[in-house]
Amino acid sequence: MGRILITGTGLFTPPDSVSNAELVVSLGHANEAWNVKHRAEIERGELEARDLPSEKFIERASGIGHRYVMDKQGVLDPTRLRPHLRSRTEDELSIQAEIGLAAANEALAQAGRKGEDVDAVIVGCSNLQRAYPAVAIEIQAAIGANGFAYDM
């Protein structure tokens, strides 16, 4: 058996970032709207009012000062609080595969290799956009790798 080498690494960073200050404003509006909507239940003691967030609490609770996101506008929309990610057809790469492909291409360039030089593609991710096809085989096909692909 030959030696196994890691000759390149890649990283993808989403284009937008959200600070805790921005998140506090958005979550504050969302919590205030929720409290107004549920005022009667809160007054009857059936529900507790939602607290207004603070930058200090978010950082203490999560350890995060800012985060990179795929869609800042959707994440900061108090009526949504999550990204707007368009559905993709089965013949398009999933968003996770698109992210992985960017990192794989960077690793290949660093290593001075081509996709067909890759013997294995191993991917670990959660919150898949779709269950099939698996992300590893999407990346494997996109770079033209041989061997196997495995999702963890």
Side-chain angles (χ1 to χ4, degrees):
M1 184 167 146
R3 295 183 328 174
I4 297 172
L5 302 171
I6 297 173
T7 56
T9 60
L11 174 68
F12 173 83
T13 303
D16 297 326
S17 75
V18 174
S19 70
N20 285 347
E22 292 171 303
L23 200 54
V24 163
V25 171
S26 180
L27 289 173
H29 289 306
N31 286 359
E32 287 172 353
W34 190 90
N35 288 341
V36 168
K37 180 178 179 181
H38 297 281
R39 174 182 239 146
E41 295 102 317
I42 293 168
E43 288 174 354
R44 289 191 303 264
E46 297 169 7
L47 292 174
E48 284 190 38
R50 291 186 177 173
D51 294 331
L52 295 179
S54 73
E55 289 180 59
K56 186 176 179 181
F57 173 79
I58 291 171
E59 187 152 3
R60 218 175 40 236
S62 68
I64 298 171
H66 76 279
R67 71 254 337 117
Y68 291 99
V69 297
M70 293 299 288
D71 172 51
K72 183 174 184 166
Q73 187 177 11
V75 170
L76 292 178
D77 178 349
T79 63
R80 185 169 177 84
L81 299 176
R82 62 187 184 280
H84 291 279
L85 301 176
R86 73 172 179 79
S87 293
R88 297 183 179 204
T89 63
E90 292 297 320
D91 60 339
E92 294 179 280
L93 284 177
S94 66
I95 193 162
Q96 288 89 352
E98 182 181 301
I99 290 166
L101 180 59
N105 283 331
E106 183 179 325
L108 287 168
Q110 234 179 62
R113 302 286 186 168
K114 295 181 179 177
E116 58 264 18
D117 297 327
V118 175
D119 296 320
V121 175
I122 301 172
V123 174
C125 69
S126 59
N127 301 318
L128 299 174
Q129 183 175 11
R130 58 180 178 233
Y132 182 82
V135 178
I137 65 169
E138 287 188 89
I139 295 169
Q140 179 190 35
I143 65 172
N146 299 304
F148 70 93
Y150 182 76
D151 282 85
M152 297 174 55

